[in-house]
Amino acid sequence: MTKTVEIALEPHEQLATFAAGCFWSVQLNFQRLEGVVDTHVGYINGKTVNPTYREVCNGDSGHAEAVQIKFDENKITYDALVRKFFEIHNPTTLNRQKNDVGTQYRSGIYYHSDEQRDIAEAIKLSEADNFDSEIVTEIEPAGPFYHAEEYHQKYLEKGGQCARVGSTDRIRCYG
């Protein structure tokens, strides 16, 4: 069962939410960063309440598979997180990442403040020169975030892949 969860933040903590294809590998990429306090995979910016994985995969809910990150802004900046986001996926493919196809795999940055929106838009613009095609990443206000079912949380870590901060081990997504 999916659900929204109220996340407690310390004064030096913020949330960041990104969609970049299958959420398993996206989560592991961010878990490895110094300053990331916690991560959860889930569903964001769709049209139904408490969507299930099946509904999201069928395209029935309109949600994106996403990762919500709690981070310590004294150790890592939102700017650095957005730059990592652009490093770990292809932001020029509409509703697709590698073999995963559908609106749930769209590229998206879901901001939690006007400052985050401004940073995301500026970096998206600066990243345009790094790609041959147009960046299709949507930048939208973060709507309700529904945690995915428990078996999806830290899935690749549970499968034996290294989540240690600073790890550069290749991430293998086997969805």
Side-chain angles (χ1 to χ4, degrees), residues 39-152:
T39 62
H40 288 93
V41 295
Y43 317 114
I44 194 164
N45 283 30
K47 60 184 185 248
T48 60
V49 176
N50 294 320
T52 64
Y53 182 66
R54 182 175 302 273
E55 290 169 330
V56 172
C57 287
N58 288 340
D60 296 338
S61 74
H63 289 86
E65 285 194 16
V67 176
Q68 191 166 77
I69 301 158
K70 179 165 63 167
F71 68 98
D72 181 339
E73 61 189 350
N74 293 329
K75 295 182 179 177
I76 192 167
T77 64
Y78 184 73
D79 182 285
L81 294 173
V82 174
R83 291 185 190 286
K84 182 67 170 180
F85 163 82
F86 279 107
E87 287 175 16
I88 63 173
H89 82 298
N90 182 347
T92 69
T93 54
L94 185 62
N95 301 327
R96 179 184 191 130
Q97 289 299 311
K98 298 182 183 170
N99 295 327
D100 295 325
V101 179
T103 58
Q104 72 272 25
Y105 300 117
R106 64 188 180 265
S107 175
I109 300 172
Y110 305 99
Y111 59 85
H112 297 268
S113 69
D114 290 343
E115 179 184 16
Q116 285 188 356
R117 179 199 61 220
D118 294 346
I119 290 168
E121 288 176 352
I123 293 173
K124 178 181 175 182
L125 189 61
S126 74
E127 287 287 327
D129 292 338
N130 297 329
F131 297 94
D132 293 331
S133 300
E134 178 185 355
I135 293 176
V136 295
T137 301
E138 65 182 17
I139 299 175
E140 302 286 338
F145 182 84
Y146 299 97
H147 285 211
E149 296 80 355
E150 182 55 38
Y151 70 92
H152 287 295

Side-chain angles (χ1 to χ4, degrees), residues 2-42:
T2 61
K3 60 183 176 178
T4 59
V5 176
E6 191 65 34
I7 297 179
L9 297 173
E10 298 296 323
H12 58 279
E13 294 175 339
Q14 288 188 44
L15 292 178
T17 308
F18 302 107
C22 175
F23 49 29
W24 296 340
S25 63
V26 178
Q27 181 177 41
L28 189 56
N29 269 287
F30 284 107
Q31 279 178 264
R32 293 174 169 184
L33 297 178
E34 178 72 34
V36 169
V37 176
D38 199 9
T39 62
H40 288 93
V41 295

